[in-house]
């Protein structure tokens, strides 16, 4: 099964995960903006999209899902993963699915925890993030999660979720086996 892992990455975390996943499954990783849908979509059986999260929204997801109907009608397998700072929980997953309208599509969805380093953000993202964290710091009902986010301003988070990438790779391998049985 030929797999393409498309992604949108702001600081390199999502790109790193996409490239790692593509290598594990013998596929190809490429930024979403560089994929030529009309020329290349027919070449792949499995489409994986990875996007970074800001405010609960998976960046680039709307562009990717604008091609959902053509992929689904052509019988392509579709997997989506989001990369964010928070630890994935069942409640967080449900919220992510809802905020990104993923429940309207037949896709497999995974949350992958990423790293965060303020120094890697460029203007205007760095300014927006600093303003958000400064405002958060004045909240009288500051939760432990928000306090942890505030601390990221001065202490980068370096996290790699290799286990989740393995899980996605196993799913792709399983889909490949199913496709091979159907074609036999």
């Amino acid at each position: 099964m030929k797999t393409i892992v498309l992604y949108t990455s702001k600081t390199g975390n999502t790109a790193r995960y996409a490239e790692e996943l593509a290598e594990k499954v013998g596929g190809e990783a490429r930024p979403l903006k560089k994929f030529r849908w009309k020329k290349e979509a027919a070449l792949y059986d499995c489409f994986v999209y990875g996007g970074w999260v800001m405010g609960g929204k998976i960046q680039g997801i709307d562009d990717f899902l604008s091609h959902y109907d053509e992929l689904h009608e052509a019988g392509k397998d579709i997997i989506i993963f989001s990369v964010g700072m928070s630890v994935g929980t069942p409640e967080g997953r449900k919220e992510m699915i809802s905020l990104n309208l993923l429940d309207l599509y037949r896709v497999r969805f995974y949350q992958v925890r990423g790293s965060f380093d303020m120094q890697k953000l460029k203007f205007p993202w760095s300014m927006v993030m600093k303003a958000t964290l400064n405002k958060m710091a004045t909240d009288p009902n500051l939760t432990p999660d928000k306090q942890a986010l505030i601390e990221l301003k001065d202490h980068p988070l370096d996290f790699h979720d290799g286990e989740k990438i393995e899980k996605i790779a196993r799913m792709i391998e399983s889909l490949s086996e199913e496709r091979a049985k159907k074609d036999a």
Side-chain angles (χ1 to χ4, degrees):
M1 176 164 81
K2 197 161 180 192
T3 301
I4 181 84
V5 183
L6 301 170
Y7 63 88
T8 303
S9 189
K10 181 54 74 182
T11 61
N13 288 306
T14 309
R16 184 174 83 181
Y17 281 131
E19 290 163 6
E20 179 182 348
L21 180 60
E23 185 177 320
K24 285 186 180 300
V25 299
E28 180 184 349
R30 198 173 328 154
L32 179 63
K33 288 183 179 182
K34 293 188 177 184
F35 189 73
R36 290 180 239 109
W37 288 95
K38 288 181 182 178
K39 281 186 168 184
E40 299 178 283
L43 302 174
Y44 299 94
D45 303 303
C46 181
F47 285 76
V48 181
Y49 176 71
W52 59 283
V53 177
M54 181 172 174
K57 184 71 176 162
I58 303 169
Q59 302 303 300
I61 193 72
D62 294 335
D63 290 340
F64 177 76
L65 289 175
S66 70
H67 300 279
Y68 174 82
D69 288 339
E70 65 193 71
L71 296 176
H72 183 68
E73 288 170 12
K76 309 293 185 177
D77 292 306
I78 305 168
I79 298 172
I80 295 172
F81 70 91
S82 65
V83 178
M85 293 183 288
S86 62
V87 177
T89 64
E91 298 80 21
R93 185 176 191 282
K94 284 180 189 175
E95 184 178 350
M96 192 71 92
I97 288 169
S98 177
L99 284 171
N100 292 279
L101 305 176
L102 297 179
D103 47 354
L104 301 178
Y105 302 92
R106 189 169 177 256
V107 299
R108 290 167 175 83
F109 172 65
Y110 298 86
Q111 285 180 283
V112 182
R113 188 170 181 204
S115 298
F116 182 76
D117 185 347
M118 283 287 280
Q119 304 305 315
K120 290 184 178 181
L121 285 179
K122 294 181 178 141
F123 184 82
W125 302 105
S126 58
M127 187 175 80
V128 170
M129 190 63 166
K130 285 177 185 174
T132 301
L133 294 175
N134 287 338
K135 184 174 181 176
M136 219 183 273
T138 63
D139 184 350
N141 300 315
L142 191 64
T143 64
D145 285 349
K146 288 182 179 179
Q147 179 61 44
L149 283 175
I150 292 167
E151 290 173 13
L152 288 176
K153 190 164 61 171
D154 299 317
H155 306 286
L157 170 68
D158 187 19
F159 189 84
H160 181 76
D161 196 348
E163 187 176 309
K164 191 64 66 81
I165 294 302
E166 278 291 332
K167 186 174 184 178
I168 299 169
R170 284 192 305 272
M171 174 53 68
I172 293 168
E173 290 166 7
S174 173
L175 292 170
S176 180
E177 290 169 7
E178 285 177 31
R179 191 173 287 272
K181 285 178 188 176
K182 284 180 188 176
D183 292 346

